[in-house]
Amino acid sequence: MLALMAVVSASAETLSITVDIDNADAVSMTLDGRQPLEYTNGANTFELDYYSGIQIKPNTGFGISKIVNQHGTPITESYGVYWIQGMNVSNGDVYTITTLDLATAEKAPFSINLIGDPSLVDLSFSGSNRRETLAEGENSLDYVVGYENKLYIAKSDYGKPIYSVKVNGTSYGSQSNYEVTLEPNMEVEIETSFPDIPCTYNITYTDVENVITAVRIGYTKLEDFDGRTFTCQAGDDVILNTNSEYYFEKVTLDGKELTGQWGSYSFTAEADGELVVSARPYGEVNFVVNVNEAAGIKLYAGYTYSGEQYTLVDGRNELALSERTTYISFEANKAGGYYIESITDKDGNELPITNTTIYDVAEGSEYTFTVGKHVLDQTAVVWVNDYELASYMTLQNSEYTTYPLTTGYNVVQFASTFNPFNFGFYSKDYSATNNFAFLNGEQCTPIYEGGSSFKLELADGDVLKAFVATDPVESEVTFVCDEGVSANIVRDIIVAVEDPMAGLTCFDGTQIDIKPIDGDGSLGGVKVNDEVVPADENGNYSFVVNGNTEVRLLGGTLGIGSVEAENAGNADVYNLQGIKVGTRQNLRALPAGLYIVGGEKVSVK
């Protein structure tokens, strides 16, 4: 009967295909290799979605000659199994399956003479994927002509390879896997085990002498190797170590080229042999790098973490690379705000900027780097209560640039295009649950509930505060101002307090800066909770909030009315602008002039 199988998927379009079978008993068809399908001789219609597939394989005693679509395009067999995948079909496609009855198919004889242990050999045929078990000695076999075209001979364990395979007297050498083209009446000889015989190898150097530096049998170094001759046993795994200062053009064993890997060549000893080694000193590969702004890129011979950095200039750079290292690596100078816009090769082909290594640099190669520069016109600060409480803490922008952080305030210059930022930390006390981040006073939501990793959009003037294993404490700051006094008040280094007389609420640890207005002269001093705050060398006053705080802005030319109450033994010394410049002990080291000490004018000459 004609079967219709519907396979519905909410995420993909359903497609209708037809499968035409000449013998339904010859094959097994399943949906996705699990659900059996119903089908008959002739045309069968099935519904597939993008992610489904029909698996087709021959039943015992049968084979599949071919499966083709309406255009004659075949489906490739893999280990005796065929797939019609939804992602590879179009609506209305028709597939034709041609089967083969192995019992009546034309066969041709051949023989295998097995010398050694039959359990060490796996034997199978292409097409049918049929397997055969061999016996020691002569084995008479046959194959299906035009269907089982290849004979696969493989070592059944992970030990030494098969010693020898010969086809009609021609040796295939020692290998773990063989592929033999089947022919009528062919004679195959398989010898599984290596004979217990010594093998002597002589080495001839065509250019540079003794560039084979060591010979290892397995992992054991031959101590008596003289650079030219060595002896081992048949079946030994031989490794030739090479001098890394030389380029090896070719190493052959009895005329057959060996493949090098990681500075060595290896083979399995079978019999006496002749090795020929061609090597020469490494030369240089000359290439060109063009760059519009050399300060924006770092270029290395080899990898960024181990290679030597080139010195570049704007425009054309003629460079050389050792033939030993035929690749270069690059990175933008992110610390300078640069990024890489594009890379093109000599022919104008664009190279991916996400791959930081260019391989296969050849003589005459030319690469053009175009770099751009971010405008770092945004400023934010990151405040950390105690960096030492964190086992890990990082702030990283979208270009994977990481900003160094420490306890207290950290100023971050960035471009708006650097968003979003990733910010995260872990406490050294893994049991601590009081890890918080606040952006402009608003608590940040972690990426994962209960975690301390955050994805943030930073803007100019933002303040990010991190509390590691600490509960934040908020305090009230009130300002009292003498008549006629004015000043600029800033919190958290970059945030102006627009209406100080209204007071402000902030976290303990917040820095408040009070700065005179240029040319105003009305600010004479500052008291915090009735304690005089000394001015710095620029006449600015700073303090850190620790609990509820009252700040008084004092008028007058000195603004140091409470200095007399300080310890007269080593009183602070102020200049006539009310700026602290030292103590009584170092008074005479100050420049000549008038100073205020203990509320009195003192002259230093």
Side-chain angles (χ1 to χ4, degrees), residues 65 100 106 143-149:
S65 295
L100 188 69
E106 180 188 358
Y143 66 94
V144 178
V145 176
Y147 180 56
E148 296 175 327
N149 300 314

Side-chain angles (χ1 to χ4, degrees), residues 328-503:
I328 56 176
S329 298
F330 58 88
E331 58 185 352
N333 179 13
K334 292 183 179 180
Y338 290 94
Y339 62 94
I340 297 174
E341 290 183 348
S342 66
I343 309 169
T344 56
D345 64 14
K346 189 175 185 179
D347 299 321
N349 300 310
E350 283 208 19
L351 305 182
I353 61 176
T354 53
N355 297 341
T356 59
T357 302
I358 300 175
Y359 293 98
D360 300 323
V361 178
E363 181 74 21
S365 293
E366 186 166 340
Y367 306 97
T368 298
F369 289 81
T370 302
V371 300
K373 188 174 185 180
H374 294 290
V375 179
L376 304 181
D377 57 353
Q378 312 282 298
T379 303
V381 295
V382 180
W383 177 90
V384 181
N385 67 309
D386 189 345
Y387 186 82
E388 295 304 317
L389 294 178
S391 62
Y392 163 86
M393 179 178 287
T394 185
L395 176 69
Q396 188 179 71
N397 67 25
S398 60
E399 293 198 343
Y400 305 104
T401 301
T402 299
Y403 298 84
L405 300 175
T406 187
T407 300
Y409 286 97
N410 304 269
V411 178
V412 176
Q413 300 291 139
F414 65 100
S416 59
T417 53
F418 286 1
N419 280 298
F421 283 77
N422 287 311
F423 177 59
F425 58 90
Y426 300 112
S427 169
K428 289 179 180 177
D429 178 5
Y430 291 105
S431 65
T433 58
N434 51 344
N435 299 301
F436 307 97
F438 290 81
L439 182 59
N440 301 326
E442 296 292 329
Q443 186 172 347
C444 301
T445 302
I447 298 173
Y448 304 106
E449 185 176 355
S452 51
S453 296
F454 310 89
K455 188 174 288 292
L456 306 170
E457 293 281 340
L458 291 183
D460 190 35
D462 277 355
V463 177
L464 175 64
K465 293 198 172 186
F467 293 87
V468 185
T470 302
D471 292 316
V473 176
E474 287 191 325
S475 295
E476 300 294 329
V477 181
T478 58
F479 293 88
V480 179
C481 186
D482 285 358
E483 185 177 354
V485 176
S486 59
N488 291 320
I489 301 177
V490 176
R491 66 167 176 82
D492 294 315
I493 299 179
I494 62 172
V495 181
V497 179
E498 299 294 346
D499 186 8
M501 294 305 107

Side-chain angles (χ1 to χ4, degrees), residues 7-14 49-51:
V7 183
V8 180
S9 169
S11 60
E13 179 186 0
T14 300
D49 72 21
Y50 183 85
Y51 298 103

Side-chain angles (χ1 to χ4, degrees), residues 165-185:
V165 169
K166 294 179 182 178
V167 178
N168 295 331
T170 300
S171 176
Y172 277 51
S174 174
Q175 302 175 43
S176 293
N177 295 281
Y178 301 82
E179 181 182 295
V180 178
T181 300
L182 287 165
E183 297 176 359
N185 301 310

Side-chain angles (χ1 to χ4, degrees), residues 88-373:
N88 298 325
V89 306
S90 298
N91 193 51
D93 278 356
V94 177
Y95 293 86
T96 302
I97 302 176
T98 304
T99 62
L100 188 69
D101 186 339
L102 299 183
T104 59
E106 180 188 358
K107 297 182 179 65
F110 72 100
S111 65
I112 294 179
N113 179 27
L114 178 68
I115 303 170
D117 185 353
S119 69
L120 297 178
V121 179
D122 280 337
L123 199 71
S124 62
F125 294 82
S126 67
S128 67
N129 207 34
R130 176 168 60 96
R131 310 180 76 83
E132 287 285 351
T133 301
L134 298 176
E136 188 171 8
E138 289 291 336
N139 295 263
S140 296
L141 304 168
D142 58 32
Y143 66 94
V144 178
V145 176
Y147 180 56
E148 296 175 327
N149 300 314
K150 300 286 185 181
L151 178 68
Y152 301 120
I153 305 169
K155 190 69 169 10
S156 62
D157 61 15
Y158 293 100
K160 294 185 183 300
I162 294 171
Y163 171 59
S164 173
V165 169
K166 294 179 182 178
V167 178
N168 295 331
T170 300
S171 176
Y172 277 51
S174 174
Q175 302 175 43
S176 293
N177 295 281
Y178 301 82
E179 181 182 295
V180 178
T181 300
L182 287 165
E183 297 176 359
N185 301 310
M186 68 189 299
E187 295 179 354
V188 180
E189 180 185 274
I190 303 174
E191 189 171 353
T192 62
S193 301
F194 286 80
D196 186 17
I197 58 172
C199 301
T200 299
Y201 293 90
N202 298 310
I203 303 176
T204 300
Y205 300 99
T206 61
D207 299 297
V208 183
E209 295 291 319
N210 297 325
V211 287
I212 301 297
T213 57
V215 174
R216 299 180 185 273
I217 306 302
Y219 295 101
T220 303
K221 180 180 178 181
L222 292 181
E223 297 298 335
D224 58 350
F225 175 58
D226 62 1
R228 289 190 167 273
T229 304
F230 64 91
T231 300
C232 59
Q233 291 296 113
D236 282 346
D237 294 323
V238 180
I239 300 174
L240 307 177
N241 294 143
T242 64
N243 188 327
S244 61
E245 298 300 318
Y246 292 86
Y247 172 74
F248 283 74
E249 295 179 321
K250 186 184 292 187
V251 176
T252 61
L253 173 58
D254 295 332
K256 181 180 179 181
E257 188 170 350
L258 301 179
T259 301
Q261 187 175 26
W262 304 111
S264 63
Y265 294 83
S266 60
F267 61 92
T268 300
E270 300 178 41
D272 293 349
E274 298 292 326
L275 289 158
V276 178
V277 178
S278 299
R280 58 175 173 76
Y282 279 108
E284 282 190 339
V285 173
N286 297 289
F287 65 102
V288 171
V289 167
N290 304 300
V291 59
N292 60 319
E293 192 168 353
I297 187 173
K298 298 177 182 178
L299 188 71
Y300 303 84
Y303 292 117
T304 55
Y305 56 84
S306 59
E308 182 179 352
Q309 184 176 347
Y310 290 105
T311 300
L312 302 177
V313 298
D314 294 353
R316 182 181 177 87
N317 295 265
E318 296 183 358
L319 306 174
L321 183 68
S322 170
E323 193 179 19
R324 182 180 176 184
T325 306
T326 57
Y327 52 91
I328 56 176
S329 298
F330 58 88
E331 58 185 352
N333 179 13
K334 292 183 179 180
Y338 290 94
Y339 62 94
I340 297 174
E341 290 183 348
S342 66
I343 309 169
T344 56
D345 64 14
K346 189 175 185 179
D347 299 321
N349 300 310
E350 283 208 19
L351 305 182
I353 61 176
T354 53
N355 297 341
T356 59
T357 302
I358 300 175
Y359 293 98
D360 300 323
V361 178
E363 181 74 21
S365 293
E366 186 166 340
Y367 306 97
T368 298
F369 289 81
T370 302
V371 300
K373 188 174 185 180

